Amino acid sequence: MKSFKKYILFGLTVLCTVVFLLTGCMSKDPVQTLHESLEKIVELEKPFRKAQKSLKTLEQAEGKLYDKMIKLNMDEFKQMIKLSNKALKQAEKRQEHLDLEKESIEKAKKEFKRAQSMVKEIEDQKVKKKAKNLISHMEKRYQAYDQFNKDYQKAIHLDKQLYKLMQNKQLKLQDLEKQLKSINEKYNEVLKQNVAFNDYTTEYNKVRKDFYKDCGFDIKEKSN
């Protein structure tokens, strides 16, 4: 079969939220409660980060299968069927891990709503302003993830369609090219949202660290 490039986003690198181990005691209950809620969000996102690592491995394995497929000719059609079926299974596994990601984020978003409700109860205006800024960054972060997840779901669907097309011995070149174009366009959108999510995560961590310091917490960072 003629060689064609298929754009697959290998190893989507989503920045993990830095865990801050804090000591100290806050005199204002709303701030203390907000802090506790933010730390709980870190814990709730652990399955999300774990699923991200698994996705990277699955993407690489699926990419290797595709590379083998495009090197085959029609005399090796049985091998094409075998490889495309394996690729379909890999795509399904990616779907499962993406669902696990989404589940983790949704649980974290519920806790985030609790954190939001604490901000309006903060009396110190300087602290309140910083808390609002922190909340704003997290909102943008979650919005970027929601779009990322939506685009990636569609990308996996297009991949699965491609593998099924490659099981058709009468597949036309123009149909293959059309499918590959759709896949590449969708993964470009996935990449764009992934970059946005990473950027918002980086900014959120900076703002959160600044917020904690301003509130009097002693901060000790620990990679997660």
Side-chain angles (χ1 to χ4, degrees), residues 55-108:
L55 269 174
K56 178 179 179 180
T57 301
L58 291 170
E59 287 167 358
Q60 291 173 336
E62 191 174 321
K64 289 179 181 179
L65 288 171
Y66 177 78
D67 288 341
K68 290 180 181 180
M69 282 189 279
I70 61 175
K71 292 176 182 178
L72 298 177
N73 55 50
M74 296 313 295
D75 294 332
E76 301 169 292
F77 191 67
K78 287 185 178 180
Q79 182 66 7
M80 174 70 74
I81 295 293
K82 182 179 179 181
L83 291 173
S84 59
N85 280 330
K86 286 184 177 180
L88 276 168
K89 290 181 180 179
Q90 287 296 108
E92 289 170 358
K93 288 180 181 179
R94 275 199 294 149
Q95 180 68 62
E96 291 173 2
H97 282 77
L98 196 62
D99 290 342
L100 289 174
E101 263 192 20
K102 182 68 172 176
E103 182 181 348
S104 175
I105 289 293
E106 288 303 316
K107 288 180 179 179

Side-chain angles (χ1 to χ4, degrees), residues 24 89 110 116 129 135 151 156 177 186 210-211:
K89 290 181 180 179
K110 288 182 180 179
Q116 284 179 302
K129 183 178 180 180
I135 293 298
D151 289 337
I156 291 177
E177 291 178 334
K186 183 54 62 178
D210 183 52
F211 175 73

Side-chain angles (χ1 to χ4, degrees), residues 20-31:
F20 297 111
L21 299 182
L22 308 170
T23 60
C25 180
M26 297 301 300
S27 59
K28 292 189 177 182
D29 185 65
V31 178

Side-chain angles (χ1 to χ4, degrees), residues 1-220:
M1 178 175 285
K2 187 177 179 180
S3 176
F4 294 95
K5 290 185 178 180
K6 170 173 171 281
Y7 180 82
I8 297 182
L9 189 64
F10 292 121
L12 295 173
T13 306
V14 179
L15 297 178
C16 297
T17 308
V18 178
V19 178
F20 297 111
L21 299 182
L22 308 170
T23 60
C25 180
M26 297 301 300
S27 59
K28 292 189 177 182
D29 185 65
V31 178
Q32 176 66 40
T33 304
L34 174 58
H35 154 249
E36 291 173 356
S37 187
L38 294 175
E39 292 303 293
K40 186 175 180 180
I41 288 172
V42 174
E43 294 301 311
L44 290 171
E45 286 193 11
K46 280 185 176 180
F48 159 74
R49 296 190 288 275
K50 184 178 180 180
Q52 272 292 305
K53 293 178 181 179
S54 298
L55 269 174
K56 178 179 179 180
T57 301
L58 291 170
E59 287 167 358
Q60 291 173 336
E62 191 174 321
K64 289 179 181 179
L65 288 171
Y66 177 78
D67 288 341
K68 290 180 181 180
M69 282 189 279
I70 61 175
K71 292 176 182 178
L72 298 177
N73 55 50
M74 296 313 295
D75 294 332
E76 301 169 292
F77 191 67
K78 287 185 178 180
Q79 182 66 7
M80 174 70 74
I81 295 293
K82 182 179 179 181
L83 291 173
S84 59
N85 280 330
K86 286 184 177 180
L88 276 168
K89 290 181 180 179
Q90 287 296 108
E92 289 170 358
K93 288 180 181 179
R94 275 199 294 149
Q95 180 68 62
E96 291 173 2
H97 282 77
L98 196 62
D99 290 342
L100 289 174
E101 263 192 20
K102 182 68 172 176
E103 182 181 348
S104 175
I105 289 293
E106 288 303 316
K107 288 180 179 179
K109 284 166 72 174
K110 288 182 180 179
E111 183 61 32
F112 175 62
K113 289 182 179 180
R114 178 170 176 262
Q116 284 179 302
S117 68
M118 291 297 104
V119 176
K120 62 183 179 181
E121 298 181 23
I122 298 174
E123 295 180 2
D124 187 305
Q125 292 304 307
K126 181 181 178 181
V127 174
K128 190 170 188 175
K129 183 178 180 180
K130 286 185 175 289
K132 286 183 177 180
N133 186 37
L134 186 150
I135 293 298
S136 177
H137 278 79
M138 183 62 103
E139 285 177 335
K140 292 176 182 178
R141 178 175 178 266
Y142 282 143
Q143 287 171 3
Y145 175 77
D146 287 343
Q147 189 59 52
F148 161 82
N149 185 276
K150 182 179 179 181
D151 289 337
Y152 200 5
Q153 296 271 7
K154 291 180 180 179
I156 291 177
H157 177 69
L158 290 171
D159 282 335
K160 291 167 76 173
Q161 285 184 331
L162 173 66
Y163 303 144
K164 290 177 181 178
L165 280 175
M166 296 177 83
Q167 294 183 354
N168 179 5
K169 205 167 188 177
Q170 306 304 318
L171 176 62
K172 296 179 180 178
L173 176 60
Q174 61 191 44
D175 291 334
L176 177 60
E177 291 178 334
K178 182 180 179 181
Q179 186 69 14
L180 288 171
K181 181 181 178 181
S182 296
I183 289 173
N184 292 339
E185 289 175 349
K186 183 54 62 178
Y187 274 110
N188 278 325
E189 292 175 16
V190 171
L191 178 59
K192 181 180 177 180
Q193 292 304 321
N194 183 63
V195 170
F197 179 84
N198 286 344
D199 289 343
Y200 286 132
T201 299
T202 299
E203 289 303 312
Y204 168 75
N205 283 327
K206 290 179 181 178
V207 172
R208 188 177 69 155
K209 184 177 180 179
D210 183 52
F211 175 73
Y212 283 174
K213 284 183 177 180
D214 252 35
C215 292
F217 288 102
D218 293 327
I219 303 172
K220 179 180 178 181

